[in-house]
Amino acid sequence: MVNSHSSSILETRNLNIYYGEKKVIRNVSLKVPKRTVTAMIGPSGCGKSTLLRTFNRMNDFIDIFRFEGEVLFEGTDIYRSKTDVTEFRRRVGMVFQKPNPFTSSIAKNITWGPQINGYRGDLNELVESSLRKAALWDEVKDKLNDSGLALSGGQQQRLCIARAIAMDPEVILMDEPCSALDPQSTLAIEDLIHELKQNYTIVIVTHNMQQAARVSEFTAFLYNGDLIEFDETSKIFSHPAEKLTRDYIVGRFG
Amino acid sequence: MSQIEGTVDNPKRALREQDRSMPDKENRAIFAVNAQRRKLKEQVFYYLIFLATLSALFVLVYLIGSIFSDGWPYLNWDFLTNFPSRFPAKAGFKSAIYGTAWLGCLTLFFSVLFGVGSAVYLQELSAKGRLSSGIELSIATLAGVPSIIYGMLGLGIFVRFLALGRSVLAGALTLSLLILPVIIIASREALKSVPDSIRMGAFALGATRWQTVRDHVLPAAIPGIATGVILAMARSIGEAAPLILLGALTYIAFVPESVFDSFTAMPIQIFNWASRPQAQFHDLAAAGIIVLLGFLLICNSAAIILRSRWRAK
Ligand SMILES: Nc1ncnc2c1ncn2[C@@H]1O[C@H](COP(=O)(O)OP(=O)(O)OP(=O)(O)O)[C@@H](O)[C@H]1O
Ligand SMILES: [Mg+2]
């Protein structure tokens, strides 16, 4: 298991999650190390998205959501802290499975988040730097005033990543960010993830084993709500400690 | 038969399965007959519905035709710019046109302010619970209350209690109340149809509910809200009963200059002329109806154009 105690940025302690009566996360304790890419893998319905959504409290919008345990961000319990939840969401960005740009212009997609959070800097500069970091600038620099919806799916997803980056978060959560994309856009986003991990902590949910192996340093394997194994990606993919993990990775199920 | 072989270890079940397979053929025969009958039924219904549409259309065309043939000769500049008079030849529609314009603007203002505001609150901001479903039910019920009841309410609250008198303000507030349920329901539906992914995208950036609604959800819902508002406004402009109950005057030789002035409105003036014994006044009423229809047509087209512009953006 990972023992880099001091450098973990996100942590769950004995986390149980219920939707109504149904328990979907069972006693998960996990530490996400800072400035790394952590992949979450596991069969469909095992609770990857649910776990990911606790890190920025997006589960709050599901009425029947209930939990026990602790979720820590930089050592603060985000569900019990007095700090406003919007403050945590500002520092923990999210990219969704389906690209969901705002209907407004490309530039406005980038600037909206910082603006409502009181950003004082140069907005044009912010648009350019965010789009550059998301490897989208060259494709859209001449149409910054077009609607975000006028882009291709892969471009929309990179716009959503740029939108998250513009907030200068500490963590970026990605829920299957490439599942709606073609191989080329997928590669572009994987390259992007490599770039981003210099400055950000990334947690990525993926169904694609190769992708997990390519982009991540750490991998968590979830099965039916249990965290079966969490370790360095190289270890998980070469010498997993659990038979279940090995079976899943070689594609025996899931 | 392989099916039965597979289940010999359970003879009862094998029998049951056989039983079930027996009537299959009969079923098929019944279906065939059904198909023919259904085809016949469909044709009968088709013609019935066609006939119903045709008769509705006929009535409408007849009504509009007779109104135009009665009213058209009276429709001239004098009719639009004269005040009402005891003499049909000199009587005009001016105070009614002004009154309706005043009422329309004020009603639009109040009903959009309170209607869209309530819808946003109920749909986006308030906690969903028993209280909100109770409110939902009462709003749906209020939408079906006859307009004359709203007239009584307006008389009690605005005219008497708030001492607004028989003013254009009291009239507009009453009409706003009347169409508020429709606007709230339509606006809520429009808000509901905005995909959640937009809200989630905004929340994930650290937005509050209000910021999310103001900048993303509401703009996306505007076309739907506008449709509801257009329909509701068209209804309010044609209403006479609540205004009459409120005590709006039927004979007015001036135009309102402030929201506290008394007023008349197109439907009231039309009602007044139509209930007089002289045939000439009936023709004046027809001319008034033409103006009212034209007014509605202009308002609706303007709103539809605005809406499609918004959508294109
Ligand atoms: N909003 C919800 N209400 C009720 N149950 C839910 C809800 N969202 C998820 N679940 C249930 O919780 C469990 C975990 O779901 P989750 O979406 O976290 O799985 P996942 O690992 O992300 O799956 P996938 O790979 O298919 O995205 C599933 O059994 C699912 O049915
Ligand atoms: Mg998922």
Side-chain angles (χ1 to χ4, degrees):
Chain A
M1 286 275 157
V2 187
N3 280 320
S4 43
H5 193 105
S6 56
S7 63
S8 83
I9 185 165
L10 288 168
E11 182 178 352
T12 66
R13 285 187 191 156
N14 306 104
L15 184 67
N16 289 307
I17 296 180
Y18 305 81
Y19 288 126
E21 291 306 305
K22 194 167 139 206
K23 193 170 184 176
V24 296
I25 290 289
R26 295 162 206 277
N27 201 27
V28 167
S29 299
L30 170 90
K31 284 179 185 168
V32 177
K34 222 178 218 175
R35 297 223 167 87
T36 57
V37 179
T38 299
M40 291 212 268
I41 59 172
S44 185
C46 69
K48 305 179 295 291
S49 302
T50 301
L51 187 57
L52 194 73
R53 282 198 301 262
T54 50
F55 290 135
N56 63 345
R57 290 187 55 174
M58 290 299 279
N59 282 326
D60 292 12
F61 301 105
I62 300 170
D63 290 335
I64 53 175
F65 164 80
R66 201 158 53 78
F67 81 105
E68 295 155 353
E70 290 168 61
V71 181
L72 307 178
F73 172 62
E74 297 273 33
T76 317
D77 186 334
I78 62 171
Y79 279 90
R80 295 187 184 82
S81 154
K82 288 213 172 62
T83 312
D84 198 63
V85 59
T86 56
E87 171 67 15
F88 291 113
R89 295 212 186 102
R90 194 178 65 66
R91 296 169 65 187
V92 182
M94 186 168 224
V95 177
F96 296 80
Q97 177 168 359
K98 231 179 94 212
N100 59 348
F102 301 132
T103 49
S104 47
S105 71
I106 292 172
K108 193 79 198 157
N109 262 278
I110 306 284
T111 57
W112 188 75
Q115 272 180 319
I116 58 162
N117 285 290
Y119 182 76
R120 290 264 164 271
D122 183 339
L123 288 173
N124 291 326
E125 223 164 76
L126 180 70
V127 169
E128 179 168 348
S129 68
S130 308
L131 286 171
R132 274 191 194 284
K133 280 186 214 157
L136 188 61
W137 173 251
D138 290 330
E139 288 156 70
V140 301
K141 62 175 181 237
D142 301 320
K143 45 178 181 179
L144 292 175
N145 289 320
D146 289 10
S147 164
L149 293 173
L151 298 172
S152 76
Q155 291 173 326
Q156 286 187 12
Q157 194 62 304
R158 276 179 283 156
L159 179 60
C160 291
I161 293 176
R163 178 173 82 182
I165 293 172
M167 299 290 297
D168 197 21
E170 286 146 69
V171 181
I172 303 178
L173 309 172
M174 300 183 172
D175 194 347
E176 299 183 44
C178 304
S179 68
L181 306 184
D182 64 296
Q184 204 144 15
S185 310
T186 301
L187 277 184
I189 287 184
E190 285 182 14
D191 286 345
L192 182 57
I193 291 172
H194 271 298
E195 290 289 313
L196 294 176
K197 77 175 175 211
Q198 317 297 331
N199 299 308
Y200 306 92
T201 306
I202 294 172
V203 184
I204 179 172
V205 171
T206 177
H207 271 143
N208 182 332
M209 293 306 119
Q210 285 85 28
Q211 183 169 66
R214 278 195 301 263
V215 303
S216 71
E217 276 102 354
F218 295 95
T219 297
F221 173 57
L222 283 150
Y223 181 75
N224 199 13
D226 290 309
L227 178 63
I228 303 294
E229 199 170 346
F230 177 49
D231 214 324
E232 287 176 16
T233 302
S234 54
K235 175 121 190 306
I236 293 265
F237 279 86
S238 55
H239 305 100
E242 303 289 330
K243 183 170 178 303
L244 208 53
T245 314
R246 186 164 355 114
D247 287 350
Y248 181 70
I249 285 167
V250 300
R252 213 158 285 162
F253 67 92
Chain B
M1 286 300 111
S2 66
Q3 188 191 28
I4 292 169
E5 266 169 36
T7 48
V8 274
D9 53 333
N10 186 348
K12 266 194 188 161
R13 191 167 145 215
L15 271 178
R16 255 206 320 271
E17 235 135 68
Q18 221 179 356
D19 262 8
R20 218 182 287 145
S21 65
M22 286 298 280
D24 249 350
K25 276 183 197 136
E26 286 171 36
N27 268 348
R28 238 165 257 149
I30 291 169
F31 285 148
V33 173
N34 243 354
Q36 270 188 348
R37 228 192 269 158
R38 275 192 291 185
K39 213 176 207 170
L40 192 73
K41 265 191 195 165
E42 182 176 304
Q43 271 180 348
V44 169
F45 271 108
Y46 175 82
Y47 284 114
L48 274 179
I49 289 165
F50 183 71
L51 218 69
T53 314
L54 208 66
S55 42
L57 213 64
F58 175 77
V59 171
L60 196 68
V61 168
Y62 177 79
L63 263 175
I64 291 181
S66 84
I67 284 167
F68 268 79
S69 77
D70 290 350
W72 194 253
Y74 285 83
L75 210 56
N76 52 34
W77 194 244
D78 282 347
F79 178 74
L80 297 177
T81 53
N82 281 0
F83 287 111
S85 155
R86 280 184 294 131
F87 309 105
K90 279 205 280 175
F93 211 38
K94 182 177 179 180
S95 49
I97 294 173
Y98 272 80
T100 289
W102 272 88
L103 276 179
C105 293
L106 289 172
T107 305
L108 185 67
F109 174 75
F110 289 123
S111 61
V112 168
L113 187 70
F114 293 113
V116 178
S118 321
V120 166
Y121 176 74
L122 290 171
Q123 191 61 36
E124 301 289 334
L125 307 177
S126 75
K128 308 264 173 299
R130 219 178 276 160
L131 182 68
S132 80
S133 48
I135 291 176
E136 199 163 327
L137 183 68
S138 16
I139 290 173
T141 312
L142 280 177
V145 169
S147 59
I148 199 145
I149 307 287
Y150 284 96
M152 292 167 72
L153 196 67
L155 183 66
I157 296 178
F158 303 125
V159 176
R160 303 234 169 101
F161 182 69
L162 294 179
L164 296 175
R166 298 165 172 186
S167 62
V168 67
L169 181 61
L173 285 170
T174 306
L175 290 180
S176 305
L177 218 54
L178 170 74
I179 61 174
L180 211 52
V182 179
I183 291 190
I184 293 176
I185 291 170
S187 304
R188 287 187 71 172
E189 287 305 320
L191 291 169
K192 238 184 251 178
S193 68
V194 176
D196 241 5
S197 61
I198 291 188
R199 293 183 186 85
M200 292 307 140
F203 289 140
L205 292 170
T208 60
R209 276 188 183 270
W210 169 238
Q211 288 165 334
T212 303
V213 171
R214 180 193 62 196
D215 292 349
H216 299 295
V217 182
L218 202 52
I222 291 278
I225 292 176
T227 308
V229 171
I230 293 167
L231 289 173
M233 283 303 295
R235 177 177 172 202
S236 82
I237 282 176
E239 280 290 348
L243 296 179
I244 289 173
L245 208 86
L246 216 61
L249 302 175
T250 48
Y251 179 86
I252 279 200
F254 58 86
V255 296
E257 311 233 292
S258 87
V259 294
F260 299 109
D261 284 349
S262 43
F263 68 102
T264 187
M266 292 198 219
I268 298 177
Q269 188 66 61
I270 292 166
F271 174 73
N272 175 260
W273 280 334
S275 53
R276 294 203 185 185
Q278 299 96 319
Q280 272 171 310
F281 278 114
H282 297 173
D283 295 346
L284 278 175
I289 290 172
I290 297 172
V291 175
L292 181 57
L293 285 177
F295 195 80
L296 284 174
L297 209 64
I298 291 170
C299 291
N300 285 1
S301 335
I304 289 168
I305 289 168
L306 274 179
R307 193 182 53 182
S308 62
R309 282 257 169 84
W310 181 274
R311 215 173 248 161
K313 211 172 58 164

